[in-house]
Amino acid sequence: MADSQLLTDVRALVGREYGRIYAWDEVNAPMIRQWCEIMGVDNPLYTDPAFAANSAHDGLVAPPAMLQVWCMEGFHLNNYAPGSTTENPYEVLKLIESYGYPSVVAVNSELTFERNLRPGEKVYYTTRLDSVGDEKTTGLGTGFFVTLVMNYFVEHKSGDEAVGQLLFRVFKFRPANNHTVEAAPAKVEDKPVVKRPKPGMSDDTRFFWEGCDAGKLLIQRCTQCQTLRHPPAPVCIECHSFDWDSVQASGRASLYSFVIMHYPEVAPFDHPNPIGLIELEEGVRLVAGLVGVKREELSIGQPLQLEFQTFDGELTLPLFRPVVG
Amino acid sequence: MTLQNTKRFDDVRPGETLPELAIPITVGLVTGGAIATRDYFPGHHDLNAAKALGSPHIFMNILTTNGLVQRYVEDWAGPEARFASLKIKLGAPNYPGDSMTFNGAVTGHDSATRTVEITLSGKNSMGNHVTGTVALVLP
């Protein structure tokens, strides 16, 4: 249980606003070019004045993901640019730490942009302690999710302009195992590469997997009575004919049912691992992985769209993704 | 330089996937990325400091992850796409010697604002380093 005095002290800080932290340098071409170089960004919008002038942006802009970079303190700890606040926007973390939660891990970084920054602009941000959650226990340990919101502005003579925002969430915690500072990740070199299991293939099912390799979802069809069937089988379920061919599914489908597999965590699958019973618009159902889904947003009957993904460079599988908007 | 055309909103389909991109994680990328984002936290450049924190090696900083996410989406969308948001959740650390592979797909398509949402993941040998969404306004 969290100390009640800690909770009282923390709650008193929530909602507090902290003063400005200024950028050391105005938005500038050398820092942009060096950032692009290391990131492998080759968009001329950031580095080629002629291209940028003729673009929809009417001139050079800074890469959006650099928003935070401008106001970083730099080499010397807590050495912020002149004019910056002397308040510590992270004081809540120190407070929580003083009650025996020494570790911290970043969980979310959510940037939103009003517009791109331009060379020559002077940036600052202010910080608000948005929320501190109830004490939670995760795989890492026990502690608190702390959410800070930084609002970024550009200075103008006519009044400052909001240009973007960062929502930053950390987990400030007491490690589950007191002997390690953070949950020790497996060593990279010790990690065997686990491949996706391959399907068994027979004369009845070969067409299906070869179709996947070609980016087509094929459904078996009885050539006598035209009944579609899946999974593949040698004999028509309606008229018992052995004669069949296949038709290509449109890829439009809906969610008939699903399961989210949480445990055990089987490599190399994502976990939790969402698996759907998919009803194709042609009328047959198949079991396939779901991608781009959030558990709380899944609903029976929702429209899905087929896509193929190739695993380990050799196994192409049909997967289904929710149709949005 | 051969310029890729910026994708038009009307040419993007929900469910469309982005090409996979594998990025080797090297000491150079982790330290260079940290310095290019003015992040001098020792765990991003000092092996002994990283080990003292319980990590087997130096680890990539968040601002570099953000930059690589921008690159992945921008490579696909083209030079004039406007980023409206870049929201990530952090997972397994990126250590030198590993490789991170991005996958993504179009999961949102709002014609009123000509905004598409890309849902993506960057996975290394331990699992997802990053998952998230990017909202782009397209011409």
Side-chain angles (χ1 to χ4, degrees):
Chain A
M1 274 295 282
D3 188 292
S4 64
Q5 188 60 46
L6 167 62
L7 295 178
T8 305
D9 293 350
V10 163
R11 299 277 182 261
L13 290 177
V14 171
R16 175 150 183 210
E17 307 256 359
Y18 298 85
R20 297 178 180 190
I21 291 178
Y22 280 94
W24 274 104
D25 298 291
E26 59 188 36
V27 176
N28 66 85
M31 281 175 65
I32 291 172
R33 199 202 61 74
Q34 290 168 31
W35 183 94
C36 289
E37 180 181 333
I38 193 80
M39 299 301 166
V41 168
D42 61 4
N43 185 348
L45 182 64
Y46 308 129
T47 51
D48 179 344
F51 174 87
N54 289 318
S55 75
H57 296 260
D58 291 325
L60 288 173
V61 297
M66 281 188 83
L67 180 63
Q68 286 166 272
V69 173
W70 305 109
C71 299
M72 295 287 283
E73 62 199 291
F75 184 58
H76 300 287
L77 198 64
N78 295 322
N79 182 35
Y80 290 96
S84 299
T85 181
T86 54
E87 301 168 325
N88 179 2
Y90 298 100
E91 65 178 344
V92 69
L93 299 182
K94 285 193 167 180
L95 173 63
I96 296 172
E97 184 160 330
S98 71
Y99 282 82
Y101 302 82
S103 299
V104 66
V105 61
V107 183
N108 298 91
S109 158
E110 301 190 353
L111 290 162
T112 49
F113 311 104
E114 296 296 324
R115 66 166 175 85
N116 290 104
L117 295 170
R118 292 184 182 279
E121 289 183 320
K122 186 87 179 181
V123 184
Y124 70 86
Y125 71 89
T126 60
T127 307
R128 176 168 47 86
L129 175 58
D130 186 68
S131 65
V132 178
D134 294 329
E135 189 177 53
K136 289 246 167 60
T137 298
T138 74
L140 290 173
T142 299
F144 301 87
F145 285 96
V146 175
T147 306
L148 296 156
V149 173
M150 286 80 159
N151 285 301
Y152 285 80
F153 300 87
V154 162
E155 282 192 324
H156 293 296
K157 289 200 178 81
S158 52
D160 297 348
E161 176 192 7
V163 289
Q165 186 181 81
L166 168 65
L167 180 152
F168 189 58
R169 183 173 297 125
V170 302
F171 186 50
K172 184 71 182 156
F173 65 101
R174 178 187 301 140
N177 176 350
N178 287 331
H179 299 292
T180 55
V181 176
E182 73 178 36
K187 280 209 175 110
V188 174
E189 56 271 25
D190 296 340
K191 195 77 183 177
V193 176
V194 182
K195 292 185 174 182
R196 284 253 179 174
K198 287 185 182 172
M201 212 179 288
S202 70
D203 288 345
D204 293 324
T205 63
R206 183 165 289 108
F207 80 97
F208 179 84
W209 298 109
E210 289 178 351
C212 289
D213 286 342
K216 296 175 181 174
L217 181 63
L218 299 179
I219 314 171
Q220 212 177 14
R221 176 174 61 182
C222 173
T223 49
Q224 292 297 318
C225 72
Q226 310 301 311
T227 301
L228 298 175
R229 62 179 187 262
H230 186 89
V235 176
C236 176
I237 48 179
E238 289 294 333
C239 74
H240 302 165
S241 167
F242 281 90
D243 299 326
W244 59 271
D245 63 1
S246 64
V247 292
Q248 183 179 350
S250 70
R252 287 185 290 274
S254 61
L255 187 62
Y256 189 81
S257 185
F258 66 93
V259 64
I260 310 278
M261 187 162 153
H262 288 269
Y263 188 85
E265 294 174 350
V266 181
F269 297 95
D270 288 337
H271 50 80
N273 184 14
I275 301 156
L277 178 56
I278 314 294
E279 181 151 282
L280 301 177
E281 73 168 0
E282 290 80 5
V284 299
R285 295 179 201 138
L286 81 163
V287 174
L290 297 169
V291 287
V293 301
K294 291 178 187 145
R295 166 63 188 91
E296 61 277 15
E297 292 172 7
L298 280 173
S299 63
I300 302 299
Q302 76 179 105
L304 301 170
Q305 178 64 43
L306 168 70
E307 68 181 52
F308 286 97
Q309 285 187 20
T310 300
F311 298 92
D312 313 312
E314 59 185 9
L315 176 64
T316 301
L317 296 176
L319 300 170
F320 285 83
R321 183 181 293 279
V323 176
V324 182
Chain B
M1 174 181 259
T2 311
L3 286 182
Q4 181 200 353
N5 288 331
T6 303
K7 289 221 184 308
R8 312 273 311 168
F9 176 79
D10 295 331
D11 295 337
V12 174
R13 293 279 164 264
E16 179 177 345
T17 54
L18 280 63
E20 192 171 277
L21 174 66
I23 296 179
I25 309 303
T26 62
V27 171
L29 178 61
V30 174
T31 55
I35 304 312
T37 55
R38 290 187 47 74
D39 184 346
Y40 290 84
F41 177 73
H44 306 314
H45 64 258
D46 180 338
L47 178 59
N48 289 332
K51 285 183 172 171
L53 291 168
S55 295
H57 210 317
I58 59 168
F59 47 94
M60 183 176 284
N61 70 329
I62 301 168
L63 274 66
T64 298
T65 302
N66 276 332
L68 297 176
V69 167
Q70 178 191 316
R71 166 185 162 189
Y72 176 61
V73 173
E74 191 168 52
D75 278 356
W76 168 82
E80 294 183 70
R82 193 179 76 73
F83 281 70
S85 67
L86 192 165
K87 301 183 178 182
I88 61 171
K89 185 174 193 303
L90 295 150
N94 267 344
Y95 296 123
D98 207 342
S99 172
M100 175 170 64
T101 302
F102 278 115
N103 278 283
V106 177
T107 50
H109 197 254
D110 178 19
S111 48
T113 55
R114 301 184 76 80
T115 302
V116 297
E117 181 197 64
I118 314 298
T119 298
L120 59 88
S121 66
K123 193 170 190 173
N124 62 29
S125 68
M126 293 180 293
N128 281 326
H129 167 70
V130 58
T131 54
T133 59
V134 171
L136 292 175
V137 181
L138 296 178

